[in-house]
Amino acid sequence: MDHFDLQRNLARMGYYRGKIDGIYGPMERTAVMSALTDGPDYQLTDADVVRAGRAMQVEPAKVWAVWDVESTAAPFINGRPTILFEPHRFSRATGGKFDKSHPKISSKAWNKKLYPASQDGRYVQLLDAVGLDVDAGFASASYGGFQILGENFAICDAASPWAFAWRQAQTEGDQLDAFVHFVTRNGLLPALRAGARNYW
C-alpha cells in the first residue's frame, strides 16, 4: 500500500477530504489518527472468551491469563488501541534505509531509549514511520490487548498492515479474533493449552 491507496481508503471511510495526491501531510496524518480513534472500543466479555476458547479447544481461563499478561496497561487508551512501536522491526522491514535519516524510528539494533513511555509518543513514532513507508510503518507496531505485531496481518485475516491496525482499533473482541488466528496459524495451540507463558 502506498499513500495514494491509504488516502483513497481513508476518503472512502469519510476521514480524509483532501486531494488524492499520494503526498503525506497533516490532513492524512490526522485522518489516520481519527480512523484509529473512532472505533466503538467495546470491552471483552466472558461470552467472547468462551467462544474463542471453544474455537481453540482451550479453557477460557487460559485465554484470560494471556490477556492479563499482555494487556499490562489497557487495550485502548484515549479511544485508540494501545501500541508499542518497534524501531528495529521498522529498520528490518525497510532494509535499514532510514536508520541514518530517522534514527528515532529506525534502528538496526533494539534500543531501549527508542521506546517512549507515553502512548502519545508511540503514536508519533507510528505516524512518522507511516509517512516514510505505509506498510512497514503499520507492520512495525504491536496493537491492543494481545500486542500482536502488524507484520502478522495476513495470519490474522487482514488484507494489509493498515487493515490490521484499523481492525485492532474497533473492539476488544476484534483483538481477540486476531489472537485466535495468530495462535492457531502459528502452531501455538499446544503451548497455550499447556498454560505456557513463554511461547509468545
Side-chain angles (χ1 to χ4, degrees), residues 115-139:
Y115 290 79
S118 71
Q119 285 295 302
D120 286 344
R122 295 174 186 181
Y123 268 96
V124 167
Q125 286 182 311
L126 174 63
L127 293 173
D128 287 348
V130 167
L132 298 174
D133 187 305
V134 176
D135 285 338
F138 287 119

Side-chain angles (χ1 to χ4, degrees), residues 53-187:
R54 286 174 179 165
M56 298 185 291
Q57 297 182 328
V58 172
E59 298 169 18
K62 291 179 179 176
V63 178
W64 279 119
V66 176
W67 179 263
D68 290 340
V69 169
E70 291 297 326
S71 184
T72 54
F76 290 92
I77 295 178
N78 297 327
R80 295 185 293 273
T82 304
I83 67 166
L84 183 66
F85 184 78
E86 301 278 8
H88 66 291
R89 297 278 188 168
F90 184 71
S91 175
R92 185 174 69 181
T94 56
K97 65 181 178 180
F98 300 113
D99 289 359
K100 290 184 178 180
S101 61
H102 295 78
K104 292 185 178 180
I105 59 173
S106 186
S107 173
K108 183 176 181 179
W110 183 87
N111 184 346
K112 183 179 180 180
K113 295 180 180 179
L114 299 180
Y115 290 79
S118 71
Q119 285 295 302
D120 286 344
R122 295 174 186 181
Y123 268 96
V124 167
Q125 286 182 311
L126 174 63
L127 293 173
D128 287 348
V130 167
L132 298 174
D133 187 305
V134 176
D135 285 338
F138 287 119
S140 299
S142 56
Y143 302 84
F146 293 100
Q147 286 296 288
I148 298 174
L149 273 165
E151 64 188 35
N152 295 291
F153 71 94
I155 284 176
C156 296
D157 267 358
S160 67
W162 155 247
F164 176 78
W166 180 80
R167 178 56 62 187
Q168 296 302 290
Q170 299 311 296
T171 72
E172 293 179 13
D174 289 303
Q175 295 175 7
L176 176 61
D177 287 342
F179 172 75
V180 172
H181 289 307
F182 180 84
V183 170
T184 302
R185 294 174 180 177
N186 277 317

